[in-house]
């Protein structure tokens, strides 16, 4: 027989006996030939998320173009981070199942598998970058020092004052506030 091309084909059967007599055609069986895998329209990089932004957040949505319905899954055993994610097989939404921490892992990778109704598959490798936030407490500021103009005691350094709104000096980490 010959190979059938992608698309819908009407199949009928006719029987021929040893004497060469042929039967009427059978009823038509319409079959669809689909050898084309889904094509990913979503990219290979998810939008970066902040560390410590929480577990259970949607971080990527797989999308494809195909002539039939597509289901999505994460490729297991791929030496990547797929175990840290889950995917909605119908919508393609990928969820990070843990709270990201840049210091532990600065990015994650996983592979989405798209399978169409005929069983054709395609894969999209995806990287999820994690934003590093300043999550370290600043160093303790210096001990406050009452400025001489606010010190009304017998000397400018005895830290005695009658000023109800005294002024102090000191040092602290840049861009931090001191109270």
């Amino acid at each position: 027989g010959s190979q059938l091309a992608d698309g819908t084909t009407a199949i009928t059967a006719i029987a021929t006996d040893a004497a060469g007599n042929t039967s009427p055609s059978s009823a038509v069986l319409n079959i669809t030939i689909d050898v084309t895998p889904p094509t990913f329209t979503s990219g290979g990089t998810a939008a970066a998320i902040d560390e410590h932004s929480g577990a259970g957040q949607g971080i990527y949505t797989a999308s494809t173009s195909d002539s039939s319905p597509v289901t999505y899954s994460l490729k297991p055993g791929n030496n990547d981070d797929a175990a840290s994610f889950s995917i909605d097989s119908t919508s393609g939404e990928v969820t990070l199942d843990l709270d990201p921490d840049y210091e532990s892992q600065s990015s994650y990778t996983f592979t989405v598998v798209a399978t169409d109704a005929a069983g054709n598959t395609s894969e999209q490798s995806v990287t999820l970058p994690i934003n590093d936030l300043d999550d370290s407490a600043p160093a303790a500021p210096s001990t406050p020092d009452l400025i001489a103009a606010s010190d009304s005691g017998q000397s400018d350094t005895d830290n005695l004052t009658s000023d109800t709104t005294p002024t102090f000096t000191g040092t602290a980490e840049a861009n931090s506030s001191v109270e």
Side-chain angles (χ1 to χ4, degrees), residues 153-175:
Q154 291 185 354
S155 78
D156 289 345
T157 59
D158 63 6
N159 291 327
L160 293 174
T161 186
S162 61
D163 186 347
T164 59
T165 57
T167 302
F168 300 90
T169 62
T171 58
E173 182 179 303
N175 298 316

Side-chain angles (χ1 to χ4, degrees), residues 2 41 124 159:
S2 60
T41 56
Q124 175 74 51
N159 291 327

Side-chain angles (χ1 to χ4, degrees), residues 32-131:
T32 301
I33 305 297
D34 178 3
V35 295
T36 306
T39 301
F40 275 91
T41 56
S42 52
T45 303
I49 61 172
D50 290 342
E51 68 175 328
H52 308 300
S53 55
Q57 60 183 307
I59 52 90
Y60 178 83
T61 300
S63 59
T64 55
S65 61
D66 196 78
S67 59
S68 65
V70 173
T71 58
Y72 300 98
S73 60
L74 295 172
K75 186 174 184 178
N78 198 37
N79 259 354
D80 61 12
D81 305 303
S84 299
F85 298 89
S86 55
I87 190 167
D88 182 297
S89 64
T90 305
S91 71
E93 183 179 12
V94 178
T95 302
L96 178 60
D97 296 332
L98 49 81
D99 189 13
D101 179 16
Y102 180 90
E103 285 72 28
S104 298
Q105 190 164 350
S106 61
S107 68
Y108 294 83
T109 59
F110 56 92
T111 300
V112 177
V113 179
T115 305
D116 69 14
N120 301 304
T121 62
S122 59
E123 298 180 0
Q124 175 74 51
S125 179
V126 180
T127 299
L128 170 64
I130 305 300
N131 295 323

Side-chain angles (χ1 to χ4, degrees), residues 9 25 28-29 31 36 64 74 91 108 113 127 133 141 144 147-148 179:
T9 302
S25 292
V28 173
L29 170 66
I31 64 167
T36 306
T64 55
L74 295 172
S91 71
Y108 294 83
V113 179
T127 299
L133 302 180
I147 68 168
E179 295 179 6

